[in-house]
Amino acid sequence: MKFLLLFLKGCAMGSADVVPGVSGGTIAFISGIYEELIRSIRSVDATALRLFIKFRFRELWSYVNGGFLLPVLLGIAVAIFSLARLMTWLLVHHPVAIWSFFFGLIVASALLVARQIGKWDWRSVGALLVGTAVAWWITVATPAQTPETWWFILLAGAIAVCAMILPGISGAFILLLLGKYQFIMQAVSDLNIPVMLVFLVGAAAGIIAFSHLLSWLLGRWHDVTVAVLMGFMVGSLNKVWPWKETLETYVDSHGKLQPLVERNIWPGHFEWQALLLGAAGFLTIWGIESLARRFGPHNDVK
């Protein structure tokens, strides 16, 4: 049951990570595995490498918390490979419906994360406002045209994966800003092994380095750090607002027209489908959180 639940949480994280504007870190946080995930990733260090070189695999498994990491990473991988093409199709053909679902998901996530803050004071409120402002600025930044060379794919992997483990900061959206979202999604759909390997090497290096910093921040300034993460969620709502007007477009590397600059607008009429899907997203997060309280570990960094 524990393996299956961790696998399903990984699937939920992977599903979120392929959508620009939604963070897998959000799912990890509200499902109760966020800080254990950071702590486990942090354990992949020089000691783990020495154990691997000496073929001491039993000790290595225990040292890196393999019983936790394996089902989570397996779930993430399964979701990304199975949902990359579906999510791309849904965003093109049913944008209002899918964005409504994720809008409700993030609202519920932000409310649940607020419960993780032990004491609200001026530092926590200030951190919340800073996180909101940063995430809001990222959502209105204009995507760039960037090269498709190996070094930039490596860099994109390192940057995007750091965002993927931050609640509210979407790794997929960072890829969009770097001009590499469609490129990487196409590589996953086509099983372009060379591109995927370069991206994964950058991602592995980035997440190991970043996990040490984030774990230290959560251990030293827990409430302030969590308030910043909550702000990231609140600020990201600007990106996932379902109704948008495209102001500028660009042609991607595959000759397809893609939105470059958008602005939020009010819906022209009442859309019950969007309302229902928004409520479904909200209730989905509360359901995951209820399962986490019943079966999963509590967030606790030492």
PDB file of all heavy atoms in Angstrom, residues 23-38:
ATOM      1  N   SER A  23       2.980  23.059 -10.892  1.00  0.00           N
ATOM      2  CA  SER A  23       4.233  22.524 -10.375  1.00  0.00           C
ATOM      3  C   SER A  23       4.050  21.168  -9.717  1.00  0.00           C
ATOM      4  O   SER A  23       3.127  20.969  -8.920  1.00  0.00           O
ATOM      5  CB  SER A  23       4.829  23.497  -9.345  1.00  0.00           C
ATOM      6  OG  SER A  23       5.886  22.902  -8.644  1.00  0.00           O
ATOM      7  N   GLY A  24       4.939  20.232 -10.053  1.00  0.00           N
ATOM      8  CA  GLY A  24       4.942  18.956  -9.357  1.00  0.00           C
ATOM      9  C   GLY A  24       5.279  19.124  -7.891  1.00  0.00           C
ATOM     10  O   GLY A  24       4.845  18.333  -7.047  1.00  0.00           O
ATOM     11  N   GLY A  25       6.057  20.158  -7.571  1.00  0.00           N
ATOM     12  CA  GLY A  25       6.383  20.446  -6.180  1.00  0.00           C
ATOM     13  C   GLY A  25       5.148  20.764  -5.362  1.00  0.00           C
ATOM     14  O   GLY A  25       5.092  20.464  -4.164  1.00  0.00           O
ATOM     15  N   THR A  26       4.150  21.373  -5.997  1.00  0.00           N
ATOM     16  CA  THR A  26       2.889  21.657  -5.312  1.00  0.00           C
ATOM     17  C   THR A  26       2.234  20.358  -4.852  1.00  0.00           C
ATOM     18  O   THR A  26       1.788  20.228  -3.709  1.00  0.00           O
ATOM     19  CB  THR A  26       1.924  22.411  -6.240  1.00  0.00           C
ATOM     20  OG1 THR A  26       2.502  23.656  -6.604  1.00  0.00           O
ATOM     21  CG2 THR A  26       0.589  22.658  -5.565  1.00  0.00           C
ATOM     22  N   ILE A  27       2.179  19.372  -5.752  1.00  0.00           N
ATOM     23  CA  ILE A  27       1.577  18.085  -5.417  1.00  0.00           C
ATOM     24  C   ILE A  27       2.361  17.414  -4.295  1.00  0.00           C
ATOM     25  O   ILE A  27       1.783  16.859  -3.352  1.00  0.00           O
ATOM     26  CB  ILE A  27       1.534  17.179  -6.654  1.00  0.00           C
ATOM     27  CG1 ILE A  27       0.776  17.862  -7.802  1.00  0.00           C
ATOM     28  CG2 ILE A  27       0.892  15.843  -6.315  1.00  0.00           C
ATOM     29  CD1 ILE A  27      -0.660  18.161  -7.505  1.00  0.00           C
ATOM     30  N   ALA A  28       3.695  17.448  -4.393  1.00  0.00           N
ATOM     31  CA  ALA A  28       4.526  16.826  -3.366  1.00  0.00           C
ATOM     32  C   ALA A  28       4.300  17.480  -2.008  1.00  0.00           C
ATOM     33  O   ALA A  28       4.240  16.805  -0.975  1.00  0.00           O
ATOM     34  CB  ALA A  28       6.003  16.920  -3.754  1.00  0.00           C
ATOM     35  N   PHE A  29       4.142  18.801  -2.006  1.00  0.00           N
ATOM     36  CA  PHE A  29       4.002  19.526  -0.746  1.00  0.00           C
ATOM     37  C   PHE A  29       2.705  19.175  -0.046  1.00  0.00           C
ATOM     38  O   PHE A  29       2.702  18.806   1.139  1.00  0.00           O
ATOM     39  CB  PHE A  29       4.099  21.030  -1.001  1.00  0.00           C
ATOM     40  CG  PHE A  29       4.503  21.805   0.213  1.00  0.00           C
ATOM     41  CD1 PHE A  29       5.791  22.285   0.346  1.00  0.00           C
ATOM     42  CD2 PHE A  29       3.606  22.047   1.243  1.00  0.00           C
ATOM     43  CE1 PHE A  29       6.181  22.989   1.472  1.00  0.00           C
ATOM     44  CE2 PHE A  29       3.982  22.743   2.372  1.00  0.00           C
ATOM     45  CZ  PHE A  29       5.275  23.218   2.484  1.00  0.00           C
ATOM     46  N   ILE A  30       1.598  19.278  -0.774  1.00  0.00           N
ATOM     47  CA  ILE A  30       0.315  19.078  -0.091  1.00  0.00           C
ATOM     48  C   ILE A  30       0.020  17.589   0.144  1.00  0.00           C
ATOM     49  O   ILE A  30      -0.858  17.263   0.929  1.00  0.00           O
ATOM     50  CB  ILE A  30      -0.842  19.768  -0.850  1.00  0.00           C
ATOM     51  CG1 ILE A  30      -0.947  19.283  -2.289  1.00  0.00           C
ATOM     52  CG2 ILE A  30      -0.641  21.272  -0.842  1.00  0.00           C
ATOM     53  CD1 ILE A  30      -1.842  18.114  -2.468  1.00  0.00           C
ATOM     54  N   SER A  31       0.749  16.695  -0.516  1.00  0.00           N
ATOM     55  CA  SER A  31       0.522  15.261  -0.290  1.00  0.00           C
ATOM     56  C   SER A  31       1.417  14.706   0.807  1.00  0.00           C
ATOM     57  O   SER A  31       1.403  13.512   1.082  1.00  0.00           O
ATOM     58  CB  SER A  31       0.730  14.469  -1.587  1.00  0.00           C
ATOM     59  OG  SER A  31       2.067  14.573  -2.032  1.00  0.00           O
ATOM     60  N   GLY A  32       2.218  15.578   1.432  1.00  0.00           N
ATOM     61  CA  GLY A  32       2.963  15.177   2.614  1.00  0.00           C
ATOM     62  C   GLY A  32       4.326  14.571   2.376  1.00  0.00           C
ATOM     63  O   GLY A  32       4.927  14.036   3.302  1.00  0.00           O
ATOM     64  N   ILE A  33       4.842  14.635   1.138  1.00  0.00           N
ATOM     65  CA  ILE A  33       6.133  13.997   0.867  1.00  0.00           C
ATOM     66  C   ILE A  33       7.204  15.001   0.459  1.00  0.00           C
ATOM     67  O   ILE A  33       8.339  14.613   0.154  1.00  0.00           O
ATOM     68  CB  ILE A  33       6.010  12.936  -0.246  1.00  0.00           C
ATOM     69  CG1 ILE A  33       5.631  13.590  -1.592  1.00  0.00           C
ATOM     70  CG2 ILE A  33       5.011  11.861   0.142  1.00  0.00           C
ATOM     71  CD1 ILE A  33       5.707  12.634  -2.765  1.00  0.00           C
ATOM     72  N   TYR A  34       6.883  16.302   0.484  1.00  0.00           N
ATOM     73  CA  TYR A  34       7.785  17.302  -0.091  1.00  0.00           C
ATOM     74  C   TYR A  34       9.150  17.318   0.601  1.00  0.00           C
ATOM     75  O   TYR A  34      10.195  17.202  -0.046  1.00  0.00           O
ATOM     76  CB  TYR A  34       7.142  18.687  -0.016  1.00  0.00           C
ATOM     77  CG  TYR A  34       7.978  19.774  -0.675  1.00  0.00           C
ATOM     78  CD1 TYR A  34       8.053  19.850  -2.045  1.00  0.00           C
ATOM     79  CD2 TYR A  34       8.688  20.697   0.087  1.00  0.00           C
ATOM     80  CE1 TYR A  34       8.814  20.825  -2.659  1.00  0.00           C
ATOM     81  CE2 TYR A  34       9.446  21.676  -0.513  1.00  0.00           C
ATOM     82  CZ  TYR A  34       9.501  21.734  -1.888  1.00  0.00           C
ATOM     83  OH  TYR A  34      10.262  22.689  -2.494  1.00  0.00           O
ATOM     84  N   GLU A  35       9.158  17.463   1.897  1.00  0.00           N
ATOM     85  CA  GLU A  35      10.428  17.613   2.597  1.00  0.00           C
ATOM     86  C   GLU A  35      11.217  16.310   2.659  1.00  0.00           C
ATOM     87  O   GLU A  35      12.443  16.318   2.633  1.00  0.00           O
ATOM     88  CB  GLU A  35      10.187  18.223   3.981  1.00  0.00           C
ATOM     89  CG  GLU A  35       9.610  19.628   3.871  1.00  0.00           C
ATOM     90  CD  GLU A  35       9.406  20.312   5.213  1.00  0.00           C
ATOM     91  OE1 GLU A  35       9.919  19.812   6.226  1.00  0.00           O
ATOM     92  OE2 GLU A  35       8.729  21.351   5.229  1.00  0.00           O
ATOM     93  N   GLU A  36      10.511  15.170   2.696  1.00  0.00           N
ATOM     94  CA  GLU A  36      11.225  13.892   2.608  1.00  0.00           C
ATOM     95  C   GLU A  36      11.843  13.731   1.219  1.00  0.00           C
ATOM     96  O   GLU A  36      12.944  13.176   1.067  1.00  0.00           O
ATOM     97  CB  GLU A  36      10.299  12.718   2.901  1.00  0.00           C
ATOM     98  CG  GLU A  36      11.037  11.380   2.918  1.00  0.00           C
ATOM     99  CD  GLU A  36      10.159  10.210   3.317  1.00  0.00           C
ATOM    100  OE1 GLU A  36       8.964  10.416   3.566  1.00  0.00           O
ATOM    101  OE2 GLU A  36      10.700   9.083   3.360  1.00  0.00           O
ATOM    102  N   LEU A  37      11.157  14.217   0.191  1.00  0.00           N
ATOM    103  CA  LEU A  37      11.698  14.169  -1.166  1.00  0.00           C
ATOM    104  C   LEU A  37      12.978  14.988  -1.268  1.00  0.00           C
ATOM    105  O   LEU A  37      13.988  14.526  -1.826  1.00  0.00           O
ATOM    106  CB  LEU A  37      10.649  14.685  -2.156  1.00  0.00           C
ATOM    107  CG  LEU A  37      11.078  14.756  -3.622  1.00  0.00           C
ATOM    108  CD1 LEU A  37      11.365  13.356  -4.158  1.00  0.00           C
ATOM    109  CD2 LEU A  37       9.993  15.437  -4.464  1.00  0.00           C
ATOM    110  N   ILE A  38      12.952  16.211  -0.730  1.00  0.00           N
ATOM    111  CA  ILE A  38      14.145  17.069  -0.759  1.00  0.00           C
ATOM    112  C   ILE A  38      15.281  16.421   0.017  1.00  0.00           C
ATOM    113  O   ILE A  38      16.436  16.401  -0.437  1.00  0.00           O
ATOM    114  CB  ILE A  38      13.823  18.455  -0.163  1.00  0.00           C
ATOM    115  CG1 ILE A  38      12.731  19.154  -0.984  1.00  0.00           C
ATOM    116  CG2 ILE A  38      15.076  19.321  -0.120  1.00  0.00           C
ATOM    117  CD1 ILE A  38      13.072  19.354  -2.437  1.00  0.00           C
TER     118      ILE A  38
END
